[in-house]
Amino acid sequence: MKKIAIFGSAFNPPSLGHKSVIERLTHFDEVLLVPSIAHAWGKTMLDYQQRCQLVDAFISDLGLSNVIRSDVEETLYKPGESVTTYSVLKKLQELNPESMLTFVLGPDNLFNFSKFYKSEAILEKWAVMACPETVKVRSTDIRNALNQDQPIDKFSTPNVIKVLQNTSWYSKM
């Protein structure tokens, strides 16, 4: 049975904290990175397509053949509505009926898990794994540094940094 880890995040932008979680998921056959298209709690984020570009740059830097960006949220999205973790997992299970799915969340979401839509149903149907970062770098650190014209080299991977430095997106962060 194929084991798939589902790691959803705003990836606003991807950080070394995200990387430290992903590197601990190498025992999975696939690790799907799922950028949030519309945050459930109204978080302001870069445009979805921009974040997907950043995630693709991030994945290329990771060099791990089992890490893939999933566009499942894009397929589920309806304007004005958030896409729930439950609907993401349900759709991914439909697409991978013979696979075992594990929802991976960081410590920030672990404490809010009971607020997730159908959190109890998620626990009944799928494995949930809390995986704290071993590198304490957050997307907020990157956004703050960019907004203060500080270097971001120590916060993310080379291609993500290159994309951020060569665009004007960061002014929207």
Side-chain angles (χ1 to χ4, degrees), residues 46-113:
L46 279 173
D47 175 75
Y48 175 75
Q49 292 304 327
Q50 292 169 333
R51 288 181 293 111
C52 286
Q53 183 180 344
L54 289 165
V55 170
D56 291 342
F58 183 65
I59 289 170
S60 74
D61 284 335
L62 294 176
L64 300 170
S65 61
N66 67 331
V67 179
I68 303 159
R69 178 177 54 85
S70 171
D71 65 354
V72 67
E73 288 214 12
E74 191 172 351
T75 64
L76 294 169
Y77 180 65
K78 293 181 179 120
E81 296 180 21
S82 60
V83 178
T84 66
T85 298
Y86 180 83
S87 64
V88 166
L89 292 171
K90 184 178 173 198
K91 183 65 173 178
L92 288 172
Q93 192 70 75
E94 288 170 12
L95 296 170
N96 301 279
E98 302 300 317
S99 297
M100 186 174 97
L101 304 185
T102 299
F103 176 58
V104 178
L105 42 74
D108 50 343
N109 283 323
L110 175 62
F111 298 114
N112 291 316
F113 186 72

Side-chain angles (χ1 to χ4, degrees), residues 144-163:
N144 289 344
L146 287 168
N147 288 328
Q148 297 168 11
D149 290 322
Q150 299 292 317
I152 58 171
D153 306 59
K154 62 184 179 189
F155 297 133
S156 195
T157 62
N159 282 322
V160 171
I161 291 165
K162 205 176 295 179
V163 171

